Amino acid sequence: MLGYALQQVFPRADFFGHRDVEITNGGAVMKIVKRERPAVLINAAAYTDVDGCEENRNHAFAVNGYAPGYIANASSEVGAVLVHYSTDYIFDGTKQEFYEDDPPNPINVYGESKLLGESLIKENMQDYRIIRTSWLFGSHGKNFVDTILSLSHQMPEVRVVKDQIGKPTYTVDLAGATPDIISRAPGIYHITNDGSCSWYEFASAFIPNAIPCTTREFPRKAKRPSNSVLANTKIPPLRPWREAVREYIRTKRNVV
Ligand SMILES: NC(=O)c1ccc[n+]([C@@H]2O[C@H](COP(=O)([O-])OP(=O)(O)OC[C@H]3O[C@@H](n4cnc5c(N)ncnc54)[C@H](OP(=O)(O)O)[C@@H]3O)[C@@H](O)[C@H]2O)c1
């Protein structure tokens, strides 16, 4: 999903998908990076199925944990800047908002595996930009907006949890902010659309038949932090999430 948005922002860059490289294979990663010798390497690949990670722990750690370490090692070898995306789910949800240097404490396997990825990048190189983001929506991927829109047409009421708070983020806006981050100092950045909400408030912004429910009424395999609001102290804020979701839905209508 994010990879497609990045292709619009960097039209002259070379893009590689899963068919081109298996990132859990450190040798394959080193080979392609040495062949391409990029000045900047952007890694948007991950195993993003949060509930799936609970059942496929080894796979989650291989893709989200060890693979970023291989990519960092290869980037360092050719002197490339590495941009890597991480998640709000490295935090436990026990604060009102989370700053870039707050201590992580993941409560699910996805968060644990993404945190290992961050740590191995920091261990293997200096010139990295780790961009933590949250609640992504955009074209070319399974996302909350598409799922809820489709449920809204199929059923009279759609129950959506009201006790998990976060910051929705449009892939187009996140990709659009990435060149600015590349020009900044190495480190960790929090990039989301501006404003926070519950999943229920998010759904209510674009469907008329959302009904609030609690996490307890809607159990999932992976625990989710009740509050994963990322505070951005380093770059100018992106536009408000409501504007971004309106634009995404307009774009979808034009495509249909
Ligand atoms: N989605 C969210 O709500 C969210 C929230 C916070 C942070 N993030 C982070 O943002 C980034 C982009 O997320 P996204 O939602 O755009 O991801 P996505 O749509 O799930 O795309 C992930 C891509 O990674 C590829 N991939 C998976 N395993 C691979 C492997 N072993 N080797 C090579 N490629 C592999 C996938 O290919 P296949 O489909 O062929 O496996 C897919 O093309 C990720 O780092 C994610 O952790 C996402």
Side-chain angles (χ1 to χ4, degrees):
M1 185 161 63
L2 179 60
Y4 273 94
L6 286 164
Q7 291 190 43
Q8 308 303 309
V9 173
F10 298 97
R12 287 184 308 171
D14 292 314
F15 281 83
F16 300 92
H18 204 166
R19 272 175 306 184
D20 308 302
V21 60
E22 170 53 63
I23 62 168
T24 59
N25 179 339
V29 170
M30 184 61 87
K31 193 169 162 199
I32 196 166
V33 173
K34 277 191 163 169
R35 188 186 76 206
E36 299 295 324
R37 304 196 80 80
V40 178
L41 197 163
I42 303 179
N43 176 37
Y47 178 39
T48 57
D49 178 349
V50 176
D51 292 311
C53 285
E54 296 295 311
E55 289 177 334
N56 303 298
R57 192 181 168 88
N58 290 347
H59 184 62
F61 276 85
V63 180
N64 296 337
Y66 295 106
Y70 305 143
I71 295 170
N73 188 26
S75 300
S76 168
E77 180 85 12
V78 302
V81 171
L82 173 62
V83 179
H84 174 82
Y85 298 92
S86 189
T87 170
D88 54 332
Y89 282 5
I90 60 144
F91 293 118
D92 58 13
T94 56
K95 284 182 67 194
Q96 291 281 78
E97 54 183 353
F98 291 89
Y99 290 86
E100 292 88 347
D101 54 2
D102 274 337
N105 183 31
I107 59 172
N108 58 37
V109 173
Y110 173 70
E112 280 178 52
S113 66
K114 292 290 290 184
L115 179 59
L116 176 67
E118 289 191 12
S119 307
L120 291 178
I121 289 171
K122 291 188 215 161
E123 262 175 41
N124 277 286
M125 70 184 301
Q126 311 276 319
D127 209 357
Y128 60 82
R129 314 285 184 278
I130 292 172
I131 300 177
R132 295 188 189 131
T133 189
S134 57
W135 295 22
L136 286 189
F137 62 92
S139 56
H140 300 283
K142 190 171 175 289
N143 70 75
F144 178 80
V145 177
D146 291 5
T147 305
I148 294 290
L149 274 175
S150 141
L151 289 174
S152 168
H153 292 129
Q154 290 163 31
M155 42 184 61
E157 291 176 345
V158 184
R159 291 190 315 142
V160 189
V161 294
K162 64 173 184 190
D163 52 2
Q164 290 170 32
I165 312 291
K167 294 174 97 174
T169 306
Y170 189 16
T171 51
V172 166
D173 293 347
L174 175 59
T178 298
D180 176 35
I181 300 301
I182 292 168
S183 71
R184 290 175 185 261
I188 292 181
Y189 292 84
H190 286 179
I191 307 187
T192 63
N193 278 118
D194 202 27
S196 60
C197 59
S198 67
W199 288 110
Y200 164 69
E201 288 170 303
F202 187 12
S204 299
F206 58 88
I207 64 163
N209 53 345
I211 300 289
C213 73
T214 62
T215 302
R216 194 179 282 209
E217 290 172 80
F218 201 76
R220 308 282 293 270
K221 286 197 187 93
K223 262 171 93 177
R224 265 85 170 163
S226 55
N227 189 335
S228 62
V229 172
L230 294 174
N232 157 24
T233 65
K234 295 189 176 176
I235 67 154
L238 302 187
R239 65 179 154 171
W241 66 264
R242 282 178 194 276
E243 255 177 54
V245 79
R246 266 199 300 273
E247 181 184 299
Y248 174 54
I249 288 170
R250 250 195 328 266
T251 315
K252 279 172 69 72
R253 289 206 181 106
N254 289 343
V255 171
V256 174

